[in-house]
Amino acid sequence: MENRFQRIFLVPVLAMSTLVFSAYSQTVTANEQSQAPVVEAKADVERREILDDLLDTEDFEIGIQAGVISIEDFESNAWLSGHIGYHINEHFYVKARYGQAEAGETSFEKLVSAAPLLTDDQRDFTYYGLNIGYNFLPGEIFLTKDLVLNSVFSIEVGGGSTEFAGDDEFTVNITANYRVFINDWVAWDIAMSDYVLDTQVTGESKTTHNLNFVTGLSFYF
């Protein structure tokens, strides 16, 4: 009987002791953590300053480019072009364009021994027109870790006239242009264009797409 009463009173006492010891241990641990010194970890990164060349406030530009144009049905040929532009604001600009190439021979002329389709003068492919451009996606190009140049991507749409095969044809021009500003007055241009016009050289009227790739320099003043 005595052992029974001892067990009845001993079990709650042991349980209470366990709870008190557990609470005391947690309190001591929390106090030790709160008293531990706080160590701040700082990234060991050396800061560097990058000075970007900005465009001058002058709004005019003049440029010259060289490249290649694929005249539909008349091979790929060397292309020279130039332009004069005026920047209305930071987004929009207008550009007067001029370009020239000399068309090659068609596949028919190469395969058949016959009179050429065009004379030498008629093979001159000359374009002049006016485009409006929109600047977007401004950014930077990292040539080295210390040399950073400004850049911008633009789209141009316009129209003009093309002298080819003895005719003057209205031409739609679409151009994608990427410029890298070497300094505050010189930019390196890379551009792809499509000159869309109707021709009747092969005996039937059709719309031709004459793709063009050029690169060159533009000067701001």
Side-chain angles (χ1 to χ4, degrees):
M1 190 68 167
E2 182 179 357
N3 292 336
R4 183 177 179 182
F5 281 107
Q6 289 178 351
R7 286 195 303 269
I8 291 175
F9 287 104
L10 186 59
V11 170
V13 171
L14 291 176
M16 183 63 67
S17 301
T18 302
L19 291 175
V20 172
F21 179 77
S22 177
Y24 175 77
S25 299
Q26 293 178 359
T27 302
V28 172
T29 302
N31 291 334
E32 290 177 351
Q33 292 178 351
S34 62
Q35 295 175 1
V38 178
V39 179
E40 294 183 0
K42 295 183 179 179
D44 187 14
V45 178
E46 181 180 356
R47 294 183 178 273
R48 59 188 178 93
E49 295 184 0
I50 300 176
L51 300 178
D52 297 334
D53 287 327
L54 301 177
L55 284 178
D56 283 342
T57 56
E58 287 81 0
D59 298 323
F60 291 92
E61 72 167 285
I62 185 170
I64 185 171
Q65 296 85 28
V68 62
I69 184 171
S70 177
I71 303 175
E72 189 168 328
D73 298 325
F74 287 88
E75 303 178 322
S76 296
N77 308 274
W79 172 268
L80 290 176
S81 62
H83 70 265
I84 297 176
Y86 175 73
H87 291 259
I88 303 170
N89 52 43
E90 62 179 335
H91 296 295
F92 291 96
Y93 62 91
V94 292
K95 181 183 290 185
R97 299 167 56 96
Y98 176 86
Q100 186 174 25
E102 183 176 353
E105 295 182 334
T106 64
S107 299
F108 175 79
E109 291 175 299
K110 292 181 178 181
L111 295 175
V112 179
S113 298
L117 294 177
L118 303 175
T119 65
D120 291 342
D121 291 339
Q122 290 176 330
R123 292 184 187 275
D124 289 338
F125 186 99
T126 304
Y127 170 82
Y128 51 91
L130 184 66
N131 281 10
I132 183 168
Y134 178 72
N135 294 319
F136 67 104
L137 298 180
E140 296 175 332
I141 179 172
F142 292 78
L143 299 181
T144 67
K145 67 176 183 178
D146 297 319
L147 179 59
V148 182
L149 300 178
N150 292 309
S151 65
V152 66
F153 183 79
S154 60
I155 293 292
E156 300 177 16
V157 178
S161 179
T162 299
E163 297 178 2
F164 180 58
D167 296 322
D168 291 340
E169 297 289 347
F170 175 75
T171 305
V172 174
N173 176 248
I174 303 172
T175 298
N177 181 258
Y178 182 70
R179 282 170 288 167
V180 178
F181 298 100
I182 300 174
N183 54 35
D184 59 351
W185 59 278
V186 179
W188 174 34
D189 285 339
I190 304 173
M192 292 195 67
S193 301
D194 186 9
Y195 296 88
V196 185
L197 65 147
D198 293 334
T199 64
Q200 299 179 358
V201 179
T202 58
E204 61 178 355
S205 179
K206 68 175 183 177
T207 300
T208 62
H209 292 266
N210 306 278
L211 302 179
N212 170 233
F213 173 80
V214 295
T215 184
L217 296 175
S218 292
F219 304 90
Y220 295 81
F221 59 94

